[in-house]
Amino acid sequence: MADLLRLLLRVAEKAANVARVCRQEAPLFQLLVQEKTGEDKNKKFVQDFKTLADVVIQEMIRHDVGTQFPEMAGFIHGEESNKFENGLGESVTVTVCSTEEETAALLATVLDGDHTAASLLARAIHQDPTTIDTSTDGLAVPLNPSELGVWIDPIDATSQYIEGREEALDEGHLSPSGLHCALVLIGVYLRSTGEPVMGVINQPFNHRDPAGGRWRGKHFWGVSYGSINICSVSTTKDGPKGERGLSAVLSSSEKQVVKETLTSLCGPDKLMYASGAGYKILCVIQGLADVYVLSEGSTFKWDSCAPHALLRALGGGVVDLTKSLQASCEAQDCKTELTYHQPHNECKGADRWANHGGLVAYRDCSQLRSILGALRDKL
Ligand code: 2IP
Ligand code: CA
């Protein structure tokens, strides 16, 4: 499993580099931005270039993991389908080819013959990242790749990625929106039980290099299986919970009744808002918020699997909110933790993998119970 972790860290850094290149290289950025401003809505236009960037990153991760771990190849899934229709109405399947030239030629058919953009994208896909400096030596987890599945969110908080606002990050405080909310998420789960066992998060726009001003990323990882719980993020040693009070982060589109209930529970200055489902769970991991509460079914397995594994490694987790509110108080929280192996067969498309019951991401069980107590009979 240490090999798998090292591979995921490397491929997440490659993915982060593709995300940076798509904003740094003008021909690619133009394609990215045009879709957002919508000024080409009526022009024959490459279908949603943002999605192409997502798909390219997802296919690159799928290609690299499936090559090194063939037993996992059929169980590596993500948000996007790799089938594209180009401007001529031809259906093109986006894959990573064995050479950069072949990948560029394939991408050019999706990019309506824009060979400049295709070559820039292909170069980023085939470029090996700088070495990943993290200590995974000696990590031995008794799991076989054939027991595992992978969820990929190539660029979470895509709206923030396209918007591209650069917010000055205030150490120790979460920042509601901006490029830093965009994350590459790669989560690994046990096919038998659906529990998350490994997560890699890469924040491609963590800070600008003081020297050249280029964006630099930051990665976070965690492994949680049986008695093995290791996370690259150290737990924050705060004062006794009671003294500090509870802080919560929400989506700006959260229900009014949840906002009101948590305002009275936490106090108005301890209720925060931020973009990005993955980013809000990362805020809980880093101790920038105690909990992330979401009453809507607007997130998916690819949003939560990776950061869920890091929270498990820190002694916390991500529960299904609806199921937790229905469960008797004595029920163990682990019975309502989100799982990642079974679709909702009554639904179609991406909804088959939605976290329909909403969620609560937490580090500390007692804080989870406070949230559930306050929301019981409200939803
Ligand atoms: C989105 C993204 C959004 C989030 C939504 C996710 O994933 O994380 O930011 O909404 O739930 O599905 P919100 O920002 O209100 O939390 P993606 O950006 O990959 O579509
Ligand atoms: Ca997402």
Side-chain angles (χ1 to χ4, degrees), residues 17 20-21 24-25 204 207-217:
N17 191 46
R20 287 188 288 262
V21 164
Q24 272 158 222
E25 298 293 347
H207 66 279
R208 280 197 180 275
D209 195 347
R214 295 182 79 82
W215 279 108
R216 290 280 180 260

Side-chain angles (χ1 to χ4, degrees), residues 99-101 103-105 107 117-127:
T99 69
E100 181 179 324
E101 291 69 23
T103 302
L107 290 176
S119 304
L120 285 166
L121 203 43
R123 188 189 313 157
I125 293 165
H126 287 266
Q127 185 182 349

Side-chain angles (χ1 to χ4, degrees), residues 250-265 271 273 293-296 321 325 371 374-379:
L250 302 179
S251 161
S252 50
S253 55
E254 184 49 79
K255 286 195 188 86
Q256 197 53 31
V257 64
V258 174
K259 292 180 180 178
E260 287 162 2
T261 305
L262 296 187
T263 300
S264 51
L265 178 71
L271 189 59
Y273 295 90
V293 177
L294 176 70
S295 64
E296 305 282 353
L321 173 58
L325 291 175
I371 291 292
L375 290 174
R376 193 153 278 125
D377 311 328
K378 291 282 194 329
L379 289 175

Side-chain angles (χ1 to χ4, degrees), residues 77-338:
H77 298 295
E79 179 169 6
E80 310 289 353
S81 154
N82 64 351
K83 305 266 178 302
F84 260 85
E85 189 176 285
N86 67 11
L88 305 173
E90 298 152 348
S91 175
V92 182
T93 301
V94 174
T95 52
V96 175
C97 305
S98 42
T99 69
E100 181 179 324
E101 291 69 23
E102 287 169 307
T103 302
L106 174 65
L107 290 176
T109 61
V110 177
L111 291 168
D112 287 359
D114 185 338
H115 291 280
T116 307
S119 304
L120 285 166
L121 203 43
R123 188 189 313 157
I125 293 165
H126 287 266
Q127 185 182 349
D128 264 331
T130 51
T131 48
I132 304 292
D133 58 337
T134 189
S135 60
T136 59
D137 305 336
L139 177 68
V141 184
L143 275 173
N144 187 303
S146 61
E147 300 175 84
L148 305 174
V150 177
W151 281 112
I152 302 168
D153 192 341
I155 305 178
D156 184 55
T158 37
S159 55
Q160 296 303 317
Y161 172 63
I162 303 271
E163 195 79 32
R165 267 206 311 280
E166 298 187 26
E167 304 288 342
L169 299 187
D170 181 4
E171 189 68 30
H173 292 86
L174 71 81
S175 189
S177 62
L179 266 175
H180 64 279
C181 296
L183 302 175
V184 177
L185 304 170
I186 309 176
V188 181
Y189 65 91
L190 273 188
R191 288 183 212 167
S192 53
T193 62
E195 63 187 284
V197 291
M198 181 185 286
V200 166
I201 300 173
N202 192 305
Q203 190 177 37
F205 306 93
N206 177 266
H207 66 279
R208 280 197 180 275
D209 195 347
R214 295 182 79 82
W215 279 108
R216 290 280 180 260
K218 182 172 182 179
H219 60 249
F220 312 83
W221 60 268
V223 174
S224 177
Y225 180 63
S227 59
I228 300 166
N229 287 292
I230 306 171
C231 187
S232 67
V233 179
S234 54
T235 45
T236 47
K237 294 274 174 273
D238 292 321
K241 299 278 180 282
E243 283 167 24
R244 190 166 50 81
L246 194 54
S247 64
V249 62
L250 302 179
S251 161
S252 50
S253 55
E254 184 49 79
K255 286 195 188 86
Q256 197 53 31
V257 64
V258 174
K259 292 180 180 178
E260 287 162 2
T261 305
L262 296 187
T263 300
S264 51
L265 178 71
C266 307
D269 57 340
K270 290 283 181 65
L271 189 59
M272 301 168 280
Y273 295 90
S275 283
Y279 176 67
K280 286 188 277 289
I281 308 177
L282 179 59
C283 289
V284 178
I285 291 165
Q286 294 177 296
L288 302 179
D290 291 320
V291 294
Y292 160 36
V293 177
L294 176 70
S295 64
E296 305 282 353
S298 55
T299 62
F300 300 86
K301 297 307 176 187
W302 47 82
D303 291 315
S304 57
C305 186
H308 190 169
L310 276 80
L311 280 175
R312 297 295 295 163
L314 291 170
V318 184
V319 293
D320 179 309
L321 173 58
T322 303
K323 284 184 185 163
S324 300
L325 291 175
Q326 289 163 350
S328 61
C329 299
E330 296 68 45
Q332 286 301 318
D333 304 330
C334 62
K335 288 196 177 56
T336 60
E337 287 284 323
L338 292 181

